[in-house]
Amino acid sequence: ERMEAAITTLPVIDVSCFITNEDSDSKQRTHVIQQLHEACVATGFFLIKGYEAIVPRDTIEELFELMHRFFALPPRIKAACKGTENRGYFAIGEENLSTVYETLNEDVEGKELGDYKEGIDIGREITPTDPEYGQPFRKPNNWPDASVIGEDWKPKILAHFDCMTALGGVLANMIATTLDLPSNWFDDKMRNPMTVCRLLHYPPAPVSESRIGCGAHSDYGFCAILAQDDAGGLQLLNKQGEWVAITPVKNTLVVNIGDMLQRWTNNKFVSTVHRVINPSTSGRHRFSCPFFYEPNFDAIVECIPTCLAPGETAKFAPIKMGDHLHNMFHATF
């Protein structure tokens, strides 16, 4: 049985010198890149601060008000927002991430009932005139009725989506630099990214049930950027097989590496297994918003040349990003 380790914090990386000042001290930038590289190799999880020039702090605070507003709607109103393939509302139990790594979820009772969370997935807005309209992961969003949730809800969510997309681009440039690549190396792989903004609500777990909010899994794509409240519940599986509870740190965002970036780097960067435990004894509700910054559907993920030492071979065959995401999505819904 896996043990639960002590509560810990993640390294905090100040990204402001890559956002606000192109001519900032090269020593400072070199230090930040070194910090980023160490975090990506160690656990693939880290915190960032200094992002406010792209994602203003008040918009993050407003995001939680928007989440509270949506999840307080009657079930029938939320159900009307159901969609397909990473779009729209899903109710408690409809996603089951415990199926991804079954051996890591052996001690989870009620795992066959699905994750004890509800959410709504919002992708890049697409119109019927777009040539990609209707293709996999290019479906329209299914928005809540503006007359019920408020006329401001949709534009504010889309504004947050745009801010997070821009921040994802900065992180991709920084990650390229850590790999001794030109900073724009990922740009053509992210021209039409399959980005998804996921609003999540984890109710307190019923005392009579041993349910888990989000089963043990690793993220599928490039990276995720998480805004979370201070309820806690995020846990990482460390190299000793212990679940480590991560302490929320005010005014930071959590970033983690996904499976495709681990694959791109030939396992040099780590996509760490994690899960979410619902608040229970406190009676609190957890709200969080992961933003998945993903490559184009047709991006080919294959070993980056700078990640191969002399005489070393690639550990993975090339794969199309969209095919991988399609397979993982249908395995968990």
Side-chain angles (χ1 to χ4, degrees), residues 163-215:
C163 289
M164 295 300 282
T165 301
L167 181 58
V170 171
L171 289 172
N173 292 346
M174 293 175 64
I175 288 168
T177 304
T178 72
L179 297 170
D180 296 322
L181 297 167
S183 63
N184 64 353
W185 193 86
F186 288 107
D187 285 6
D188 64 331
K189 291 103 178 147
M190 305 288 188
R191 199 153 285 139
N192 292 304
M194 294 185 291
T195 43
V196 171
C197 180
R198 170 170 269 205
L199 313 183
L200 294 173
H201 168 222
Y202 298 85
V207 176
S208 60
E209 299 180 31
S210 179
R211 296 284 296 278
I212 192 167
C214 184

Side-chain angles (χ1 to χ4, degrees), residues 91-333:
I92 290 173
E94 290 188 352
E95 182 177 41
N96 192 349
L97 287 168
S98 294
T99 62
V100 179
Y101 293 104
E102 292 186 4
T103 57
L104 297 180
N105 292 286
E106 287 176 339
D107 60 340
V108 178
E109 296 179 24
K111 57 180 175 288
E112 71 281 357
L113 300 175
D115 294 351
Y116 203 73
K117 69 175 187 288
E118 60 177 337
I120 182 169
D121 288 328
I122 297 163
R124 181 169 58 87
E125 279 284 80
I126 191 166
T127 64
T129 58
D130 192 302
E132 294 187 344
Y133 183 84
Q135 294 180 16
F137 304 104
R138 291 289 190 253
K139 306 292 175 62
N141 290 309
N142 203 359
W143 297 98
D145 187 338
S147 67
V148 176
I149 200 167
E151 296 287 345
D152 63 330
W153 199 86
K154 175 180 175 179
K156 286 180 177 178
I157 291 291
L158 286 176
H160 174 75
F161 189 100
D162 290 343
C163 289
M164 295 300 282
T165 301
L167 181 58
V170 171
L171 289 172
N173 292 346
M174 293 175 64
I175 288 168
T177 304
T178 72
L179 297 170
D180 296 322
L181 297 167
S183 63
N184 64 353
W185 193 86
F186 288 107
D187 285 6
D188 64 331
K189 291 103 178 147
M190 305 288 188
R191 199 153 285 139
N192 292 304
M194 294 185 291
T195 43
V196 171
C197 180
R198 170 170 269 205
L199 313 183
L200 294 173
H201 168 222
Y202 298 85
V207 176
S208 60
E209 299 180 31
S210 179
R211 296 284 296 278
I212 192 167
C214 184
H217 67 287
S218 56
D219 288 343
Y220 314 144
F222 186 81
C223 76
I225 311 168
L226 175 74
Q228 61 175 341
D229 62 15
D230 61 356
L234 176 63
Q235 297 183 345
L236 312 187
L237 187 65
N238 69 15
K239 293 176 181 177
Q240 289 72 47
E242 302 166 312
W243 285 110
V244 182
I246 301 302
T247 305
V249 177
K250 189 175 177 62
N251 298 327
T252 65
L253 298 171
V254 183
V255 180
N256 68 280
I257 298 306
D259 296 345
M260 289 298 96
L261 188 50
Q262 176 170 319
R263 195 172 180 125
W264 247 320
T265 62
N266 215 33
N267 282 352
K268 286 182 171 52
F269 287 179
V270 182
S271 177
T272 292
V273 172
H274 52 286
R275 68 182 186 180
V276 174
I277 302 297
N278 299 61
S280 54
T281 55
S282 66
R284 288 195 61 181
H285 295 245
R286 171 182 167 88
F287 293 87
S288 66
C289 180
F291 183 84
F292 299 101
Y293 189 69
E294 314 289 33
N296 309 334
F297 185 91
D298 60 357
I300 301 300
V301 178
E302 56 187 333
C303 183
I304 295 170
T306 58
C307 295
L308 275 180
E312 190 178 16
T313 59
K315 295 179 172 64
F316 306 99
I319 189 173
K320 187 160 72 172
M321 177 61 203
D323 291 342
H324 171 74
L325 191 60
H326 182 271
N327 293 339
M328 297 305 295
F329 180 81
H330 287 284
T332 55
F333 269 95

Side-chain angles (χ1 to χ4, degrees), residues 81-84 86-90 119-122 140-142:
C81 298
K82 283 182 178 291
T84 58
N86 263 54
R87 297 293 183 272
Y89 174 74
F90 57 92
I120 182 169
D121 288 328
I122 297 163
N141 290 309
N142 203 359

